[in-house]
Amino acid sequence: MKKTAPAKKAAPAKKAAKKAAPAKKTAPAKKQASAKAKKQAPAKRQAPAKTPAVAPKKASAAVKGVAPAKTVAAKSPRGESRTALVRRARRINRELAEVYPYAHPELDFENPFQLVVATVLSAQTTDLRVNQTTPALFAKYPTPEDLAAANPEEVEEILRPTGFFRAKTKSVIGLSKALAEDFGGEVPGRLEDLVKLPGVGRKTAFVVLGNAFGRPGITVDTHFQRLVRRWEWTEETDPDKIEAAVGALFPKSDWTDLSHHVIWHGRRICHARKPACGACPIAPLCPAYGEGETDPEKAKKLLKYEKGGFPGQRLNPPRAYLDAGGKAAPPLGSA
């Protein structure tokens, strides 16, 4: 029975073990501290990654055809590579070509002379108003020689509805004289000759070259300027620089149709003051999505021309346009 004494001696060992226990507890405390640090570490790493992570998501959304969030307008794709910009721009053009397969110049004309005159008259007014005015002009002055010899006051009276009619009268009579005296009454098919005509700049020249002679050109009108900047194809504001910047993104053979697609989209959907973003077929590709109305039903009410059931710009549009559901515009003075 006295052999139990050694057991009493073991008690101090247990006490020592108990005293040592706190030392053992410190190890888990350190592990817990390090574990907390590890949990916090990812949060610190994720913080700077939030901003650049948005771009890939938008890129994938664009590919899948999912409309982007309203915050897209605040994000700029300026960091995209040149290759990515070219691909995005060309995809937008392909999408617009499917939406407007019947896109065409919206000025009525039967020959190059009528087109160059109508294009000069379209400055500071609508193509519709020009189309309503030119039938009377060309009925009275069918050739450059006829218009060159016209009484300016009579021409002014015909052109009055287009606005700035005195300046426009001077331009169309002047270019008619130049055609009659320098080009045998024929509209030249070269850019360097066209821009020498009174009232004819590069924009007008490319309209004529592309649509009367089948020679590619980019028409940088107000719609074209607005849209290519919204899409961030370029930040240029000068028309000639815009022409060069956008032209570099596309093969030359696409230039004329590209102009029609962009201008049509600007007139029908992507308006200057209130674009119909909720009804836009290229919304997933547009950096400016959200600048306009995003609600689909409200956006539909903003659509113009054939998309909204209204007549187009031409009194005599191409058959393809009418077959697609487009409507001819009414003559000047009609109810």
Side-chain angles (χ1 to χ4, degrees), residues 105-150:
E106 295 195 270
L107 288 168
D108 282 325
F109 68 98
E110 296 178 358
N111 53 57
F113 171 63
Q114 290 187 1
L115 180 56
V116 70
V117 170
T119 306
V120 169
L121 295 178
S122 68
Q124 304 299 317
T125 191
T126 64
D127 286 355
L128 171 58
R129 183 49 57 93
V130 174
N131 292 335
Q132 292 173 328
T133 305
T134 51
L137 179 70
F138 295 138
K140 191 168 185 178
Y141 311 106
T143 68
E145 290 82 2
D146 294 327
L147 191 51

Side-chain angles (χ1 to χ4, degrees), residues 65-224:
V66 179
K70 291 183 179 180
T71 53
V72 173
K75 302 296 180 181
S76 171
R78 293 176 187 173
E80 67 186 341
S81 67
R82 175 74 177 178
T83 300
L85 173 59
V86 170
R87 288 176 178 172
R88 183 169 62 87
R90 293 185 182 185
R91 184 175 176 189
I92 287 176
N93 187 41
R94 289 195 300 271
E95 296 284 346
L96 293 179
E98 293 183 7
V99 178
Y100 311 114
Y102 41 82
H104 57 269
E106 295 195 270
L107 288 168
D108 282 325
F109 68 98
E110 296 178 358
N111 53 57
F113 171 63
Q114 290 187 1
L115 180 56
V116 70
V117 170
T119 306
V120 169
L121 295 178
S122 68
Q124 304 299 317
T125 191
T126 64
D127 286 355
L128 171 58
R129 183 49 57 93
V130 174
N131 292 335
Q132 292 173 328
T133 305
T134 51
L137 179 70
F138 295 138
K140 191 168 185 178
Y141 311 106
T143 68
E145 290 82 2
D146 294 327
L147 191 51
N151 182 332
E153 292 183 358
E154 294 179 1
V155 176
E156 286 178 3
E157 193 58 33
I158 295 174
L159 300 184
R160 186 180 293 273
T162 67
F164 302 96
F165 58 90
R166 291 190 177 87
K168 291 179 179 180
T169 295
K170 184 177 179 180
S171 292
V172 297
I173 290 179
L175 73 85
S176 297
K177 287 181 178 179
L179 291 175
E181 296 172 3
D182 302 331
F183 299 99
E186 300 291 334
V187 176
R190 298 194 311 164
L191 176 64
E192 53 268 37
D193 292 330
L194 284 169
V195 294
K196 293 178 182 178
L197 300 174
V200 177
R202 289 179 67 87
K203 183 191 81 170
T204 299
F206 281 129
V207 170
V208 175
L209 290 173
N211 299 289
F213 295 99
R215 296 177 183 174
I218 294 178
T219 305
V220 185
D221 72 348
T222 55
H223 300 288
F224 194 95

Side-chain angles (χ1 to χ4, degrees), residues 241-311:
K241 292 181 179 179
I242 291 174
E243 176 197 324
V246 174
L249 302 177
F250 296 87
K252 195 172 182 179
S253 58
D254 289 351
W255 288 357
T256 299
D257 286 340
L258 168 70
S259 299
H260 291 324
H261 298 154
V262 175
I263 292 170
W264 271 52
H265 192 62
R267 286 176 170 172
R268 286 154 173 78
I269 296 178
C270 195
H271 313 309
R273 294 183 181 177
K274 198 170 185 180
C277 294
C280 180
I282 60 166
L285 302 171
C286 182
Y289 176 83
E291 285 188 7
E293 180 57 65
T294 57
D295 181 83
E297 293 304 317
K298 292 181 180 179
K300 285 181 182 179
K301 297 178 181 179
L302 299 175
L303 300 178
K304 295 183 179 179
Y305 306 123
E306 76 283 354
K307 296 292 182 181
F310 304 110

